[in-house]
Amino acid sequence: MSSSSSQNTPNTSRNVAENDNLLSNNDWSLESIQEKIRSDPLTGCAREAFLWGIATGTAMGLHRFRLNSSKLLVANVAMGTCMLVAAPSYYMCSKTHIYKEKMISEMMDANEFLPQSEMPEAPDAAKDHPFLEAGANETNKKDETETKEFYTYIGEEKFVPKGVSAELKERKR
């Protein structure tokens, strides 16, 4: 009964559907496992979580070793600390990643933004540009468009502190 109810529920997230599709594939070759890991959006979270776990586990292990604890206790403390830091770190990172992805998709839907593949073509910017020719192809007329430039001259202004401005104006004259 629970499997039929989970089948009726559509996956709203694109990544969840892709991950379910990858997990249903029974190909356990090294290449397919590497592809599953690369395509998982939370791989960065796992990497970051275990790096923090390893760093804190090492620090705690060295601390216990410095206190002349037994080697078995040092190893247990280091491994336990690693897991105690890595598990919640992964959880928080994955939830944050999923929340950000959900918020972006909700904002895109609310503002009626389309994915880039469905966007209309960009208008010809050279049509209204004062220095570019309208409809000029970049590859054919690259030399012509590069020679058209606009120069301006803005005179140099010297910084004058507020209290000294009247004295300097008189000296300049």
Side-chain angles (χ1 to χ4, degrees):
M1 179 125 189
S2 64
S3 64
S4 64
S5 65
S6 65
Q7 290 175 353
N8 294 337
T9 309
N11 287 331
T12 56
S13 176
R14 176 178 46 92
N15 291 330
V16 172
E18 288 175 2
N19 288 341
D20 289 344
N21 191 15
L22 287 173
L23 293 175
S24 65
N25 187 1
N26 291 329
D27 185 18
W28 289 101
S29 65
L30 181 62
E31 292 82 19
S32 68
I33 292 172
Q34 288 175 343
E35 180 60 33
K36 290 175 187 176
I37 291 172
R38 283 189 192 111
S39 64
D40 186 15
L42 300 177
T43 301
C45 289
R47 182 180 301 120
E48 181 181 341
F50 278 107
L51 284 174
W52 277 108
I54 289 168
T56 55
T58 303
M60 282 301 294
L62 289 173
H63 175 67
R64 293 302 297 190
F65 184 73
R66 186 179 63 110
L67 295 176
N68 293 328
S69 298
S70 69
K71 291 183 173 118
L72 182 62
L73 180 64
V74 168
N76 286 337
V77 166
M79 192 64 185
T81 305
C82 178
M83 290 300 123
L84 275 172
V85 170
S89 179
Y90 176 79
Y91 176 78
M92 292 302 294
C93 180
S94 64
K95 290 299 178 186
T96 303
H97 183 79
I98 291 169
Y99 175 75
K100 284 181 182 178
E101 187 175 286
K102 181 181 174 186
M103 290 307 297
I104 288 171
S105 66
E106 286 179 3
M107 292 302 292
M108 295 276 286
D109 292 342
N111 292 321
E112 298 176 354
F113 289 135
L114 298 174
Q116 188 174 5
S117 60
E118 299 174 14
M119 293 295 290
E121 261 187 54
D124 188 15
K127 178 174 63 176
D128 296 327
H129 197 279
F131 304 110
L132 298 177
E133 293 178 11
N137 189 357
E138 289 181 22
T139 57
N140 295 341
K141 299 190 177 186
K142 186 175 182 180
D143 295 331
E144 291 179 23
T145 58
E146 285 182 355
T147 58
K148 295 183 178 183
E149 295 182 14
F150 178 74
Y151 294 100
T152 183
Y153 176 74
I154 299 175
E156 181 180 338
E157 294 182 15
K158 295 187 177 184
F159 174 73
V160 180
K162 290 182 180 178
V164 200
S165 62
E167 295 174 12
L168 285 178
K169 286 181 184 177
E170 292 175 13
R171 286 185 189 173
K172 286 183 182 179
R173 293 181 184 177

